[in-house]
């Protein structure tokens, strides 16, 4: 027979075990009860709040790496809901944290605006002259903040499955590769997967689109300088005309895609700017033109890059001129193609269907625009989703980067609900069993490299590896 004190201890241990099992069961039950339908119901109640946030962000657009007012507003809203965050990452970025342990899932939004003058007529018009949220980043932030609010409230009610959610507020998406700098500063450490969403005015409002594999192109910008010998326009035979040489080169470059790449491939070479002399009767010494090249594969894009570098000096030489090519990597880093993980893309489509209905969850066609979420996709399994906002009655018909761009605000709660549902369903689907080496994914202070990072990321384009390895760029 066991001594009486052993019997007491045995009973206490059994009671404690029973209590622990019951607590785990209740926690799992609560987590399972947070269904997509319940998330949508709660998001609908937040529609007014999310719309208000979008409009406030729209009033104060800021350039990349200068989003200080934007970040201050985000910090205040996070503090209002007792959400822990750490900053700075990539100068003006920050990361918020919900939950603990593994798995670790990330949601990402961009923060910066574009150098576009917004026309009059909008009640919440930009108050920062010459800058405008013309790419939907104001809506992206509002939706992610709505999701953050939903997820934090669920955490406080004990409704979240085990695991951690990190919310990335990323600066400088419009050309500064802020996402790359946040990753280099360690913000993505321990993260297992990431999701991002972009509004799209060419897709039906409220619909969600994504695809496995490449969903957006890689992009490089360039500047070509053609140099000749200027002089009087009445005596062209005494000069070496760079205008004619530049015109010949521009025309020749149009054949790179149309005659040197496969019709089944996807590439774009666009000349978007041209600057020459200032007088009507003077042939200038120099002409500058620039644009972008884009491709759905790194190899395709690098072929166009090589041909531009070969053609510029040789075509210019035929006119007696010189030409040089500057790839502007310091000002606008190379964005590789955005490649969705097959499993994460399928998961996202299934999640969208469970939340919005099968007819609203569609396989997307890839776009030739660039996106620096590509850097996240190089490191962890990711999926970038498109949220349709096209609504003629709301005036949401104008393209991204247009001064007339606006969005159908009625779908903002759907975007918030989808962000939150992706996080919750991921934690449910990819939960890992606790083990001795499973560490809580608690927020860490931003490392010194994060606080000190300055300038833009410069990717070595020629050494970029487009394979499956998630190696350093």
């Amino acid at each position: 027979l066991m001594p009486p004190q052993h019997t007491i201890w045995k009973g206490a241990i059994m009671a404690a075990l029973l209590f622990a099992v019951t607590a785990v069961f209740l926690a799992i039950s609560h987590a399972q009860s947070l269904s997509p339908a319940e998330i949508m119901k709660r998001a609908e109640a937040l529609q007014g709040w999310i719309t208000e946030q979008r409009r406030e962000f729209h009033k104060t657009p800021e350039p990349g790496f200068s989003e200080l007012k934007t970040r201050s507003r985000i910090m205040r809203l996070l503090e209002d809901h007792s959400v822990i965050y750490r900053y700075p990452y990539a100068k003006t970025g920050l990361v918020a944290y919900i939950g603990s342990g593994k798995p670790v899932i990330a949601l990402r939004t961009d923060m910066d605006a574009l150098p576009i003058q917004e026309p009059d007529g909008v009640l919440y018009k930009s108050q920062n002259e010459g800058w405008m949220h013309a790419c939907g980043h104001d809506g992206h932030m509002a939706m992610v903040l709505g999701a953050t609010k939903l997820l934090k409230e669920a955490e406080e009610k004990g409704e979240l499955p085990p695991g951690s959610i990190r919310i990335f507020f990323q600066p400088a998406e419009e050309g500064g590769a802020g996402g790359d700098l946040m990753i280099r500063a360690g913000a993505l450490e321990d993260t297992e997967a990431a999701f991002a969403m972009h509004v799209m005015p060419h897709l039906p409002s409220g619909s969600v689109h994504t695809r496995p594999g490449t969903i957006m192109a890689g992009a490089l910008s360039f500047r070509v300088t053609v140099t000749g010998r200027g002089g009087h326009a009445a005596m062209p035979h005494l000069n070496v005309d760079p205008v004619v040489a530049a015109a010949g080169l521009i025309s020749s470059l149009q054949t790179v895609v149309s005659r040197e790449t496969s019709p089944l491939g996807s590439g774009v070479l666009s000349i978007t700017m041209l600057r020459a002399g200032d007088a009507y009767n003077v042939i200038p010494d120099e002409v500058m033109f620039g644009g972008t090249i884009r491709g759905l594969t790194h190899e395709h894009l690098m072929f166009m890059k090589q041909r531009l570098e070969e053609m510029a000096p040789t075509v210019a030489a035929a006119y007696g001129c010189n030409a040089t090519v500057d790839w502007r990597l310091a000002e606008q880093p190379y964005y590789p193609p955005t490649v969705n993980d097959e499993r994460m893309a399928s998961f996202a489509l299934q999640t969208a269907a469970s939340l919005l209905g099968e007819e609203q969850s569609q396989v997307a066609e890839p776009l030739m625009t660039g996106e620096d979420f590509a850097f996240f996709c190089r490191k962890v399994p990711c999926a970038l989703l498109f949220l349709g906002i096209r609504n003629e009655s709301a005036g949401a018909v104008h393209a991204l980067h247009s001064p007339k761009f606006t969005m159908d605000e009625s779908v903002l709660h759907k975007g918030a609900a989808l962000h939150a549902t992706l996080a919750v369903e991921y934690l449910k689907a990819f939960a890992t069993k606790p083990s001795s080496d499973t560490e809580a994914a608690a927020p860490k202070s931003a490392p010194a490299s994060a606080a000190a990072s300055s300038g833009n990321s410069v990717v070595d384009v020629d050494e970029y590896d487009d394979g499956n390895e998630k190696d350093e760029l």
Side-chain angles (χ1 to χ4, degrees), residues 296-381:
L296 290 182
T297 67
H298 174 74
E299 291 78 14
H300 200 143
L301 198 147
M302 289 303 102
F303 173 76
M304 290 187 286
K305 175 178 181 288
Q306 177 185 338
R307 289 299 291 131
L308 198 156
E309 290 173 338
E310 293 170 346
M311 293 173 68
T314 54
V315 172
Y319 294 87
C321 294
N322 298 315
T324 58
V325 182
D326 175 10
W327 292 105
R328 305 184 63 253
L329 291 177
E331 299 93 345
Q332 191 164 355
Y334 171 50
Y335 281 19
T338 303
V339 183
N340 281 345
D341 177 78
E342 183 173 351
R343 185 174 60 157
M344 291 302 103
S346 298
F347 169 77
L349 286 170
Q350 293 168 4
T351 303
S354 70
L355 183 74
L356 303 170
E358 293 284 347
E359 71 285 352
Q360 294 292 80
S361 177
Q362 302 291 327
V363 176
E365 292 185 354
L367 299 180
M368 298 306 294
T369 46
E371 164 63 65
D372 86 343
F373 191 61
F375 295 106
F376 287 77
C377 297
R378 292 262 303 154
K379 294 298 181 184
V380 297

Side-chain angles (χ1 to χ4, degrees), residues 101-248:
K102 295 184 178 181
V104 184
I105 174 67
L107 304 175
R108 171 268 199 179
T109 179
D110 32 24
M111 302 162 61
D112 55 326
L114 288 159
I116 294 175
Q117 178 62 43
E118 185 171 20
D120 294 330
V122 180
L123 293 176
Y124 44 93
K125 181 180 180 291
S126 168
Q127 298 172 1
N128 189 357
E129 194 75 12
W131 290 88
M132 176 187 174
H133 272 300
C135 198
H137 297 189
D138 50 347
H140 297 171
M141 288 184 284
M143 290 187 291
V144 166
L145 282 166
T148 303
K149 183 177 170 71
L150 291 169
L151 292 166
K152 184 60 180 179
E153 290 174 354
E155 180 189 28
E156 292 172 346
K157 294 177 180 179
E159 296 174 325
L160 282 186
S164 301
I165 303 163
R166 295 180 181 175
I167 300 97
F168 282 67
F169 295 90
Q170 179 216 300
E173 188 280 327
E174 297 288 356
D180 185 32
L181 287 175
M182 289 191 78
I183 293 168
R184 290 174 184 267
L188 200 60
E189 183 181 354
D190 298 328
T191 303
E192 299 171 23
F195 297 93
M197 193 182 305
H198 204 298
V199 295
M200 286 295 170
H202 69 283
L203 299 174
S205 196
S207 63
V208 175
H209 304 244
T210 191
R211 64 180 292 111
T214 303
I215 188 168
M216 297 184 82
L220 263 177
S221 65
F222 62 86
R223 177 170 53 233
V224 177
T225 302
V226 181
T227 306
R229 186 176 66 249
H232 202 294
M235 296 174 280
H237 59 293
L238 300 180
N239 312 316
V240 179
D241 194 341
V243 176
V244 176

Side-chain angles (χ1 to χ4, degrees), residues 399-420:
L400 300 173
H401 293 210
S402 164
K404 295 182 179 180
F405 170 81
T406 189
M407 66 174 64
D408 178 8
E409 293 179 323
S410 70
V411 304
L412 291 175
H413 72 281
K414 294 183 180 180
L418 183 53
H419 277 297

